[in-house]
Amino acid sequence: MSELIDGKKVSEDTREEIAKGVEELKSSSGITPGLAAVLVGDDPASEIYVRNKRKACEKVGIYSEEHKLPAETTEEELLALVNKLNNDDKIHGILVQLPLPDHINETNILRNVTPLKDVDGFHPENVGRLVEGNPRFISCTPYGIIKMLDYYNIEIKGAEAVVVGRSNIVGKPVGMLLLHRHATVTTCHSRTKDLGEVTRRADILVAAIGRANFITADMVKDGAVVIDVGINRNEEGKLTGDVDFANLSDKVSYITPVPGGVGPMTITMLLWNTLESAKLSAGK
Ligand code: GUN
């Protein structure tokens, strides 16, 4: 029998801890952590993320503001806003919602968010620090995955960890975090030969591909821990992960559901990073 990894529960407990930390910072140094979210265009999924972020901030006492810009915003206009936020003392975390419209150079924008407020952990300085093993801000989804594994006392040290997907947001950083925690890490992608042969070795399997039900039961070892990062809509419009949950859940030891697994942790770790950033600015 497998156990569900309940991202909502881990999130609730972590958010309580964050709310306490926010309160302590306010009373000890008069600083209220502040997060600015920047949204360009009207991608419905991104609007939902940003709305959820706002509500989550309110609940833990973090000040938040939203900057909604039209799809035709130029790169220069967006850079001007980023610069303004870089220099705004109320703001400790800046989040530029991805994806950006095609005419804007995403890399250039992310490089212009000051690394001291880069709570997404996307700036090359923060990516470099993560690789070096001296992280400042860790990207929220990978960080949330590690938090969940720890919450359930799942041993990372010595485990065979297989990550399917090599994105800058999830695949690469989660591989690095697992490596720092002494897992043996293999990263797979669309050109991997005989993917099943590799995934069947995994004690911990992280699926971050972006294709519904891509990981099938025959690709997973009995008793593995399966972390599903996917958020896809199937033909009926229902939210589904990258993992064929129905056929796999009896075979594994732990598995994250979609929704209610990794998803809630991403916003939680964004709040966490914003609090950490505010503490850094207060010299704590
Ligand atoms: N789009 C999808 N995931 C993320 C994320 O973690 N951060 C940002 N900024 N945009 C995203």
Side-chain angles (χ1 to χ4, degrees), residues 30-74:
I31 291 176
T32 300
L35 174 70
V38 180
L39 181 61
V40 185
D42 38 27
D43 175 46
S46 293
E47 287 197 26
I48 295 171
Y49 282 141
V50 171
R51 194 180 334 129
N52 288 340
K53 278 169 199 153
R54 172 169 23 97
K55 283 197 218 146
C57 282
E58 264 170 36
K59 280 204 168 149
V60 298
I62 292 180
Y63 166 77
S64 78
E65 52 184 52
E66 268 166 48
H67 298 265
K68 264 193 89 194
L69 305 178
E72 55 282 2
T73 301
T74 64

Side-chain angles (χ1 to χ4, degrees), residues 49 95-98 120 122 169 266:
Y49 282 141
L95 171 136
V96 180
Q97 185 67 39
L98 305 179
D120 257 327
F122 292 164
I169 297 187
T266 298

Side-chain angles (χ1 to χ4, degrees), residues 38 46 87 142 180 182 217 221 223 227 236 240 248 255 260 268:
V38 180
S46 293
N87 294 304
H180 289 320
H182 312 292
K221 181 167 81 174
I227 306 292
E236 297 111 57
T240 39
L248 215 119
I255 187 163
T268 299

Side-chain angles (χ1 to χ4, degrees), residues 100-121:
L100 288 167
D102 288 345
H103 67 275
I104 295 179
N105 181 336
E106 208 162 271
T107 308
N108 190 33
I109 299 295
L110 297 180
R111 280 183 188 191
N112 278 281
V113 172
T114 170
L116 295 170
K117 297 187 180 183
D118 167 40
V119 286
D120 257 327

Side-chain angles (χ1 to χ4, degrees), residues 74-107:
T74 64
E75 194 167 315
E76 289 66 32
E77 287 166 331
L78 182 54
L79 279 174
L81 172 60
V82 165
N83 273 323
K84 194 162 139 263
L85 296 169
N86 282 344
N87 294 304
D88 183 341
D89 289 342
K90 289 193 305 303
I91 298 300
H92 306 93
I94 301 170
L95 171 136
V96 180
Q97 185 67 39
L98 305 179
L100 288 167
D102 288 345
H103 67 275
I104 295 179
N105 181 336
E106 208 162 271
T107 308

